């Protein structure tokens, strides 16, 4: 597509390691690394790589991973026998301790390579932002927001976001982390609980006991002790099933706009989990590609350097649509691309409906009931604005 050209005045970079996509969590596991291949094929079919710097990234080293993770955890991750191998009789307690080997976080072949490739792409993106070689750096293979220092959780083993933000903190005073995955970004929130240099904001479905991970209530704003500079720097936006584009956009703009004024971030880290889209296998929202993308567009208009991560997303054709559209927003060609998916796009048959923007009726047949009242959404915005009175920079 010759109409896709480099944006004027700023640089967008795309960071990926094609080896990562070849890993499998298991036949019916919801996480399918292959969705990254589908995303890249759409991005390429639209000619978008011509408008970006494309980096084939290396895996993160053990030392790089150690800037957040504990070495006993990394050692076990690197050496644990895959599920179909004989069990490790010397370490019966380690799988339990590190939450490895259950159905959410299986020990699959090449696990350590997969993890270090995801982290490598995200860290490369962060470094290009630090060096000012890039203004918007895209790492769709990252966004694994549940991983803890010494524990795997919710399909996440290595927290590439925390590693990326630690890079950014070397060169920028304040980082705003925004998470639009349908799940709470608990791992990132916890990692930066005690600093006022990172503000974390997660929008998610919240229904403790029923929906993973069960944290991220409205009043969860960071430990409230006297001497904790990180108090009030965790913002949570707990939502119910069925939220629509219109509601989500107004909530996002009301909250992120205000946070931008008060916190004055020097850089944004945006996790774009696509499981908040309608029709996701695990998600419960009614967002369309347009509404999801509007969050990216809003952040871009703030005119601050930005890293864009992937995250969840369990209906691969919808993940690829959203992330391809969001790539087009980054390079400012969203109004030039044809909504009809190009004839020559590989795997075009996966995109039933053949458009980047299927309607809710096309996606769901019958839309999911919306359990979010305007009154509750206004209370949430009110609460966030009150938190921000404690935040001054
Ligand atoms: O709800 C949970 C934990 C359980 C224990 C494990 N069983 C399978 C499910 C209930 C309490 N885990 C969540 C984890 C969601 C992780 C989301 C990750 C992200 O999008 O935020 C970022 C990448 C959960 N929900 C659904 C499943 N697990 C699930 C796991 C499976 C599965 C079906 C559903 C694992 C294997 C197989 N099917 C074959
Ligand atoms: Ca979230
Ligand atoms: Zn998720």
């Amino acid at each position: 597509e010759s109409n896709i050209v480099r944006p004027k005045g700023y640089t967008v970079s795309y960071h990926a390691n094609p080896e990562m996509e070849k890993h499998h969590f298991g036949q019916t596991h919801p996480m399918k690394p292959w969705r990254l291949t589908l995303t890249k094929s759409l991005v390429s079919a639209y000619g978008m790589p011509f408008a970006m710097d494309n980096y084939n990234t290396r895996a993160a080293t053990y030392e790089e991973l150690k800037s957040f993770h504990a070495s006993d955890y990394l050692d076990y991750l690197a050496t644990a026998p895959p599920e179909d191998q004989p069990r490790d009789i010397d370490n019966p307690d380690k799988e339990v301790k590190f939450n490895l080997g259950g159905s959410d976080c299986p020990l699959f072949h090449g696990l350590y390579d997969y993890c270090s490739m995801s982290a490598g792409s995200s860290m490369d993106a962060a470094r290009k932002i630090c060096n000012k070689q890039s203004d918007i750096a895209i790492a769709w293979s990252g966004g694994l927001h549940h991983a803890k220092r010494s524990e795997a959780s919710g399909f996440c083993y290595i927290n590439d976001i925390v590693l990326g933000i630690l890079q950014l903190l070397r060169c920028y005073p304040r980082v705003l982390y925004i998470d639009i995955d349908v799940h709470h970004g608990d791992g990132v929130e916890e990692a930066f609980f005690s600093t006022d240099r990172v503000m974390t904001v997660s929008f998610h479905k919240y229904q403790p006991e029923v929906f993973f991970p069960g944290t991220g209530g409205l009043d969860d704003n960071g430990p409230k002790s006297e001497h904790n500079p990180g108090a009030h720097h965790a913002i949570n936006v707990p939502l119910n099933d069925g939220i629509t584009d219109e509601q989500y956009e107004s909530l996002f703009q009301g909250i992120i706009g205000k946070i931008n004024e008060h916190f004055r971030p020097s850089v944004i880290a945006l996790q774009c989990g696509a499981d908040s889209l309608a029709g996701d296998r695990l998600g419960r929202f009614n967002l369309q590609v347009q509404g999801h993308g509007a969050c990216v567009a809003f952040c871009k208009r703030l005119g601050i350097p930005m890293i864009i991560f992937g995250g969840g997303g369990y209906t691969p054709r919808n993940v690829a649509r959203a992330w391809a559209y969001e790539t087009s927003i980054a390079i400012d060609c969203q109004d030039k691309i044809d909504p009809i998916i190009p004839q020559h796009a590989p795997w075009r048959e996966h995109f039933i409906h053949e458009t980047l923007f299927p309607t809710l009726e096309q996606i769901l047949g019958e839309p999911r009931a919306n359990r979010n009242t305007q009154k509750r959404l206004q209370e949430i915005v009110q609460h966030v604005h009150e938190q921000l009175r404690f935040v001054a920079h």
Side-chain angles (χ1 to χ4, degrees):
E1 306 265 333
S2 56
N3 53 339
I4 308 300
V5 294
R6 286 181 167 266
K8 289 203 170 56
Y10 68 99
T11 303
V12 178
S13 55
Y14 194 99
H15 305 258
N17 185 329
E19 289 302 305
M20 186 185 160
E21 304 156 19
K22 298 176 184 165
H23 292 82
H24 298 270
F25 279 63
Q27 264 298 304
T28 55
H29 193 287
M31 177 57 96
K32 307 213 175 294
W34 174 80
R35 70 211 170 110
L36 297 166
T37 312
L38 201 58
T39 302
K40 183 66 195 277
S41 84
L42 258 195
V43 165
S44 300
Y46 277 112
M48 293 188 230
F50 296 115
M52 305 185 279
D53 290 341
N54 303 283
Y55 295 99
N56 220 323
T57 56
R58 61 166 176 83
T61 64
Y62 181 89
E63 289 303 314
E64 286 172 330
L65 301 180
K66 245 178 59 174
S67 64
F68 176 56
H69 291 283
S71 20
D72 61 343
Y73 175 61
L74 293 175
D75 292 340
Y76 195 67
L77 204 59
T79 56
E83 232 114 270
D84 55 1
Q85 301 302 116
R87 303 315 315 129
D88 184 355
I89 52 163
D90 295 335
N91 295 301
D93 51 329
K94 282 200 173 158
E95 290 188 3
V96 177
K97 181 175 164 202
F98 299 135
N99 189 31
L100 291 167
S103 55
D104 274 357
C105 303
L107 289 163
F108 55 84
H109 281 271
L111 174 60
Y112 187 83
D113 293 337
Y114 165 87
C115 294
S116 45
M117 285 180 215
S118 158
S121 295
S122 296
M123 292 182 85
D124 191 52
R127 275 191 291 262
K128 293 296 183 291
I129 296 284
C130 270
N131 299 341
K132 313 271 158 53
Q133 289 180 58
S134 180
D135 299 289
I136 303 180
I138 300 173
W140 292 129
S141 59
L144 306 179
H145 57 177
H146 299 305
K148 311 285 155 44
R149 188 176 114 88
S150 317
E151 197 187 313
S153 172
F155 320 160
C156 306
Y157 304 81
I158 291 291
N159 202 314
D160 62 287
I161 304 170
V162 171
L163 294 167
I165 291 177
L166 288 171
Q167 286 283 329
L168 295 176
L169 287 172
R170 293 177 172 194
C171 8
Y172 292 98
R174 285 181 303 283
V175 181
L176 174 59
Y177 173 67
I178 306 170
D179 183 316
I180 62 171
D181 189 288
V182 76
H183 298 97
H184 176 222
D186 57 350
V188 184
E189 180 185 272
E190 186 186 289
F192 299 110
F193 248 170
S194 54
T195 175
D196 57 2
R197 293 183 60 199
V198 180
M199 177 170 273
T200 63
V201 191
S202 176
F203 297 76
H204 46 266
K205 174 180 165 58
Y206 181 65
Q207 197 179 358
E209 267 94 68
V210 176
F211 197 72
F212 188 85
T215 48
L218 189 58
D219 293 323
D220 166 12
N221 300 112
K224 286 188 180 66
S225 87
E226 278 284 334
H227 305 291
N228 176 21
H232 314 292
H233 284 69
I235 302 289
N236 283 295
V237 184
L239 301 167
N240 290 319
D241 287 2
I243 194 166
T244 62
D245 275 8
E246 198 189 6
Q247 287 180 321
Y248 200 93
E249 279 186 56
S250 104
L251 198 61
F252 190 88
Q253 302 191 3
I255 288 174
I256 301 302
K258 198 79 168 186
I259 287 175
N260 183 50
E261 288 170 21
H262 282 252
F263 182 63
R264 304 210 138 279
S266 21
V267 56
I268 291 177
L270 177 60
Q271 195 267 20
C272 290
D275 48 6
S276 43
L277 293 169
D280 187 81
R281 182 175 159 194
L282 299 191
R284 310 285 182 87
F285 290 170
N286 277 347
L287 295 189
Q288 295 182 255
V289 169
Q290 296 94 319
H292 202 268
C295 300
V296 177
F298 184 82
C299 290
K300 178 170 180 263
R301 284 198 300 273
L302 298 176
I304 302 166
M306 173 160 66
I307 301 198
I308 300 178
F309 302 104
Y314 306 101
T315 303
R317 58 179 179 274
N318 294 340
V319 177
R321 283 184 172 107
W323 291 351
Y325 179 55
E326 287 159 12
T327 304
S328 81
I329 291 171
I331 58 182
D332 208 27
C333 72
Q334 69 271 36
D335 298 327
K336 290 188 205 160
I337 60 174
D338 187 344
I340 303 297
I341 290 168
Q343 287 296 335
H344 64 278
W347 296 290
R348 191 173 189 268
E349 67 280 7
H350 279 273
F351 301 100
I352 48 174
H353 311 309
E354 305 188 345
T355 163
L356 268 191
F357 309 109
T359 63
L360 278 183
E361 289 66 32
Q362 285 175 321
I363 301 166
L364 294 166
E366 200 179 328
R368 185 183 287 279
N370 182 2
R371 307 266 179 228
N372 299 274
T373 63
Q374 285 309 114
K375 180 168 172 286
R376 179 60 181 158
L377 298 181
Q378 277 161 16
E379 281 170 17
I380 292 173
V381 173
Q382 186 65 32
H383 175 94
V384 172
H385 288 186
E386 279 163 20
Q387 282 306 306
L388 291 172
R389 294 211 307 255
F390 299 102
V391 173
H393 285 283

